[in-house]
Structure formats: structure tokens, C-alpha cells
Amino acid sequence: MKSLSDFVKERRKKASLTQEELADKSGVALTVIRKIEQGHGNLNLEKVNQVLKMFGHELAPVSRKELDNQNNPIP
């Protein structure tokens, strides 16, 4: 599974956006983008979702069981 920091950085670059442009377009401060891309652990979920919304994604709670079933489907 790709980390949040890698996902945001890759998507931002694929969209040819600077960190500043992504911050402006998603309505968050530049420091939020930098913290996400640097892999900081203490992030505001609402702010992260504002950024992810730009790429058609959202963070939400998922049970460990659901993740395990996704990664190891029963044939």
C-alpha cells in the first residue's frame, strides 16, 4: 500500500502542480501540503481530505479485517 505522502506527491507532480498551487487549489495552507509530503504523523484529517478531494479520494476509517480481506481475498 502506498503511503499518504507518496500518493499526494505523485498525484501533485502528475497534475503538474507546485506545492503552492496545490495548497491554493485545495484551500489549505502551504505548510499542510509540506507536512503531508514529508510524512508528518500529526495531521488534521479535515485538511488532509481537502487535499485528497483534489484527486478524487478521501481518508476514512476502515477495519483491519476489511484491509486484510482486500489484501488476501478468499478464492
Side-chain angles (χ1 to χ4, degrees):
M1 187 180 307
K2 190 175 295 195
S3 71
L4 175 64
S5 59
D6 289 341
F7 176 82
V8 171
K9 188 181 291 187
E10 285 177 15
R11 290 294 178 105
R12 175 180 61 78
K13 288 182 176 183
K14 191 179 245 186
S16 300
L17 295 172
T18 65
Q19 289 181 332
E20 293 85 358
E21 290 168 333
L22 179 56
D24 287 342
K25 289 181 179 289
S26 59
V28 299
L30 175 58
T31 56
V32 172
I33 302 299
R34 288 184 176 157
K35 285 180 180 180
I36 292 171
E37 290 192 3
Q38 291 171 0
H40 285 250
N42 189 14
L43 301 167
N44 179 310
L45 183 59
E46 186 176 322
K47 300 286 185 188
V48 170
N49 276 333
Q50 279 181 251
V51 174
L52 291 177
K53 186 177 178 183
M54 293 288 301
F55 307 118
H57 290 265
E58 175 182 7
L59 279 181
V62 177
S63 74
R64 174 57 60 192
K65 186 176 181 179
E66 288 176 296
L67 283 177
D68 290 345
N69 288 341
Q70 253 184 352
N71 293 330
N72 301 311
I74 299 172

